Amino acid sequence: MNQHIAEPFFINRQRMNSTFADAIVQGALSRDEIEDEIQATAKALRLIADLQFGRNGRE
Amino acid sequence: MSESIFLPPKRSLDTFDAECSVLAGILISSSNMELVDDILNPEAFTNEAVGELYRIARERIRAGRPCDPITIRGEAETNPKTAEFWKASAASILTTFVGKPVMRGYARAIADAALLRSLKDEAETLILDVTHAGDKTGAVLVEELQERLERLALTGDTERQMKTSATAIDAMLEATEAAWKAGNALSGIDTGYQGLNDLLSGLRPGGVYVVAARPGVGKSSLMLGLAMRAAQTSGRGLIWSGEMSAEELMSKAIAGKTGLPVDVVMTGHWKFANGERRPVSREEMDRIVSAGMAARDIPMMVDDREGATVQQILTRARRMKRQKQGLAFIALDYLQLMEASSAVKRSGNRTAEVTEISRDVARMARELNVPVIALSQLNRQSENREDRRPSLADIRDSGAIEQDARCVMALYREEMALRLRVGADGQVSRNSGESDAAYEKRAAEVTERLAKSAGMAEVIVLKNRGGRTGIVGMQFDGPSTWFRGDDERQSDPAW
């Protein structure tokens, strides 16, 4: 892991997750919307990784 | 030009961020396409590369092929519009996605910004035209601007429902059932003339109904009769009258209603052969005024500018159709007086001009989905035949009129055709080299037929797509130039 690049990512992710959690706690999103959001986030990151490394390496 | 401090801040018409978000949302999940597909066209994007990627994604999804960043990578990297952008930003684009609940709002914002940008372009063109296009009058510029704005209004109309075959059938069945319940055997709007209704089943929306006749037979009068009666039962009509002013047209309608000659209605005076003039009586004046008041309630718009183009009439008709009162039919008096586009006019070919006008009229009828009554002149050929009843081949200038029309009717008055054979002295004119006996026999025959045909007219249905052809008898009242069906009495109301 390249500490220099990775560190700001972990800090920002903490921030993002806490905003997300706030929105959930305040009832701004329905159960389905929350689920969509989690899946879309995961999918976006996975697609970026696929673009970087190719899809076949993992399957 | 400095900005006024009193204006609110400029709004941005740049929607780059929203475009990236919409694209990312679609690339992450193809099902998101249906949220935006109907609102958003690739042309609406400010960024050409993002717009092109959206187009590529949309085509794949519509074709039922998989679409995500990996599957479109090959195309994105080779397409010259997107290659550079893709290489630099593919990964960062994907992080800009937004949740489903806001995607449609983003798409709307992009489409609206695109509309605003086109509007801005139009405004700038207008300023340039106003200051620099010296050959265009203000009226021409207004007309042109209206046409262009009309087109923009259509592109902005993204929420309009498409008609599926199911909804079309529902509408058709509803109309049929309503007609069945009302005991009304018409599939189109009521012409107001029983004989014509029997043959045509009314004037159906989307069709062109041509009424052709030689000059002076009474095309305009028949059209006016149809229009006044149809407007009463079916709603607002638009008449383009290239020959007569709106006032003349209305005085004909009043003449029909009162039974007084057109000239008397227009001047308020009776005119006698010896040159004497006498004002109409109080009672006659009252009749004219009350017919005028009744005519005011008939929903009709008359456009009497000379040499209108089909496009200009279409612009007005579209506007009328959008208004609450709607548009039930259009009548054009007459096709040969309309102007073709300047490109065709430059060719100097009259047939090409009339062909274009006829095509455009047919297109207008279909677009607006209303019946169009188009009057047309007949050429002289029919006058050289023994039987002067017109045929399809007699339509002047173009065979296109015959092809484009759903129905072609020729208006014929034998009385008028026979009058051409009578000289100024009231005697039947003599053919050269005709013997006395032959002349007398023919003269007696002409005089007899003239007496028999007085006040009669025929509408000859020469072509009727999806229906019978035939002849509909009419009565024609010369002084008031009004047509009545042959089953009507003179005391029946004209409209």
Side-chain angles (χ1 to χ4, degrees), chain A residues 1-57:
Chain A
M1 185 187 279
N2 182 335
Q3 202 69 29
H4 182 62
I5 301 178
E7 213 173 73
F9 159 66
F10 288 116
I11 291 168
N12 275 318
R13 190 185 63 178
Q14 239 173 19
R15 218 177 272 158
M16 188 196 86
N17 281 345
S18 80
T19 346
F20 190 24
D22 271 352
I24 296 173
V25 171
Q26 286 170 23
L29 301 162
S30 73
R31 181 75 219 223
D32 285 346
E33 284 166 349
I34 294 164
E35 205 52 50
D36 279 351
E37 192 58 34
I38 294 167
Q39 273 173 17
T41 309
K43 202 168 168 189
L45 292 172
R46 192 174 304 122
L47 284 166
I48 294 169
D50 284 350
L51 276 177
Q52 178 78 4
F53 299 107
R55 193 176 269 176
N56 298 332

Side-chain angles (χ1 to χ4, degrees), chain B residues 276-309:
Chain B
E276 191 199 330
R277 284 179 160 269
R278 182 168 58 77
V280 295
S281 69
R282 182 80 243 162
E283 182 266 338
E284 284 161 341
M285 198 58 220
D286 286 347
R287 263 160 62 205
I288 294 176
V289 171
S290 75
M293 296 314 282
R296 286 175 60 118
D297 294 335
I298 294 197
M300 195 130 72
M301 305 281 271
V302 180
D303 178 353
D304 61 0
R305 70 191 136 166
E306 286 168 48
T309 64

Side-chain angles (χ1 to χ4, degrees), chain B residues 7-125:
Chain B
L7 285 174
K10 255 190 188 170
R11 66 161 141 192
S12 165
L13 296 182
D14 179 14
T15 47
F16 178 67
D17 292 337
E19 290 162 25
C20 291
S21 299
V22 167
L23 179 67
I26 292 164
L27 290 180
I28 286 169
S29 172
S30 297
S31 66
N32 284 338
M33 180 57 99
E34 67 195 39
L35 294 173
V36 300
D37 192 8
D38 59 329
I39 308 177
L40 201 52
N41 283 317
E43 295 76 39
F45 287 69
T46 50
N47 185 291
E48 196 193 15
V50 181
E52 184 67 7
L53 287 168
Y54 173 76
R55 189 192 61 74
I56 293 170
R58 181 155 85 163
E59 261 171 35
R60 289 187 76 98
I61 292 168
R62 282 181 178 175
R65 288 154 66 204
C67 174
D68 63 36
I70 312 296
T71 49
I72 69 165
R73 173 158 56 178
E75 205 170 331
E77 281 174 354
T78 50
N79 187 321
K81 283 186 189 163
T82 57
E84 205 176 314
F85 178 82
W86 181 262
K87 219 178 331 162
S89 328
S92 55
I93 282 255
L94 286 174
T95 61
T96 63
F97 73 91
V98 286
K100 260 188 188 160
V102 292
M103 272 211 23
R104 200 167 165 82
Y106 273 41
R108 244 192 228 115
I110 297 168
D112 194 55
L115 184 60
L116 288 168
R117 283 195 307 273
S118 323
L119 203 54
K120 197 173 161 208
D121 288 346
E122 287 303 343
E124 280 162 3
T125 317

